[in-house]
Amino acid sequence: MKNRYQRKKEPAENRRLLLEVAFGMVSELGIDALTLEAVAARAGLSKGGLLHHFPSKSALQEALFRESLDQFSASIRQEREQSPEISPAMAYFRAALTDLASENRRRALLFLFQAAMKEEYYRTHLTEWYREHLPEGNGIASLLTVLVADGLWNAGVFGFYTVTEEQQSQIITLLEQLNTP
């Protein structure tokens, strides 16, 4: 009998594949549909192969959560490196827009929000991340910029409403004016 899971052992690639499949499932079906069996099947791996990387559903969810935060943190750093003259709040804002434009990153954001809404553990960790990473800068302008970014995030991730490119451009102009020293 031939094993249908015969595949070259590529641990790093398999781990990445499992995370991408899990992000896709959460985006498509919601966090409650995330099961180890379903992720393994969609990835074309055995459940044992999945368990090698993620020994439990909570370990998989933790990895998805960390990956989501790491991706967004990297986006903020990249914005700061590309434009060191912008305020930390504008780097946060631009990173949020960049992540919304990427389907993979938008799926990661959707997982973050679903996990935080569902479990106190993730709300606590997300709160800690915000406290550590949120720009303080120049008071109310920084706070407003972060709140607008979060609002656009929610609109983009959940599809609450549509912001046109023209509106987005006007928002960016206004926020840049507010965040200019």
Side-chain angles (χ1 to χ4, degrees):
M1 176 177 186
K2 186 173 180 175
N3 181 349
R4 69 182 197 142
Y5 296 110
Q6 298 243 334
R7 173 185 275 226
K8 185 178 173 186
K9 293 190 179 195
E10 301 168 330
E13 292 84 359
N14 287 344
R15 185 178 193 285
R16 167 75 10 229
L17 173 64
L18 289 165
L19 288 173
E20 289 303 317
V21 166
F23 276 131
M25 285 186 67
V26 169
S27 178
E28 180 185 336
L29 305 170
I31 198 168
D32 291 332
L34 190 68
T35 67
L36 297 180
E37 295 81 6
V39 172
R42 279 197 181 191
L45 297 173
S46 68
K47 186 174 177 186
L50 180 143
L51 291 172
H52 171 75
H53 297 285
F54 309 106
S56 65
K57 181 178 175 179
S58 63
L60 175 60
Q61 288 180 325
E62 179 70 24
L64 291 170
F65 188 79
R66 294 287 166 214
E67 179 74 13
S68 299
L69 287 178
D70 290 348
Q71 285 179 6
F72 190 60
S73 296
S75 294
I76 294 171
R77 277 192 306 278
Q78 184 176 19
E79 289 296 334
R80 292 288 295 163
E81 289 168 4
Q82 288 176 349
S83 304
E85 76 285 352
I86 65 171
S87 71
M90 280 308 294
Y92 179 90
F93 179 82
R94 288 181 181 179
L97 292 183
T98 298
D99 279 11
L100 283 172
S102 163
E103 183 59 33
N104 286 343
R105 290 192 180 157
R106 190 158 75 218
R107 292 188 313 186
L109 294 174
L110 183 59
F111 173 80
L112 263 181
F113 286 122
Q114 287 186 39
M117 288 179 354
K118 188 168 178 57
E119 294 184 34
E120 179 65 30
Y121 172 81
Y122 294 113
R123 275 192 301 280
T124 299
H125 284 288
L126 191 55
T127 299
E128 289 170 8
W129 182 90
Y130 267 97
R131 286 185 179 135
E132 183 180 328
H133 290 86
L134 271 185
E136 292 182 10
N138 63 5
I140 198 69
S142 292
L143 177 60
L144 180 62
T145 301
V146 168
L147 292 172
V148 170
D150 289 347
L152 288 173
W153 239 11
N154 281 302
V157 169
F158 294 109
F160 293 147
Y161 51 89
T162 302
V163 177
T164 66
E165 285 186 35
E166 181 181 338
Q167 290 170 324
Q168 186 172 308
S169 178
Q170 291 171 345
I171 291 168
I172 291 169
T173 301
L174 179 60
L175 292 176
E176 285 174 343
Q177 290 170 355
L178 284 174
N179 284 280
T180 302

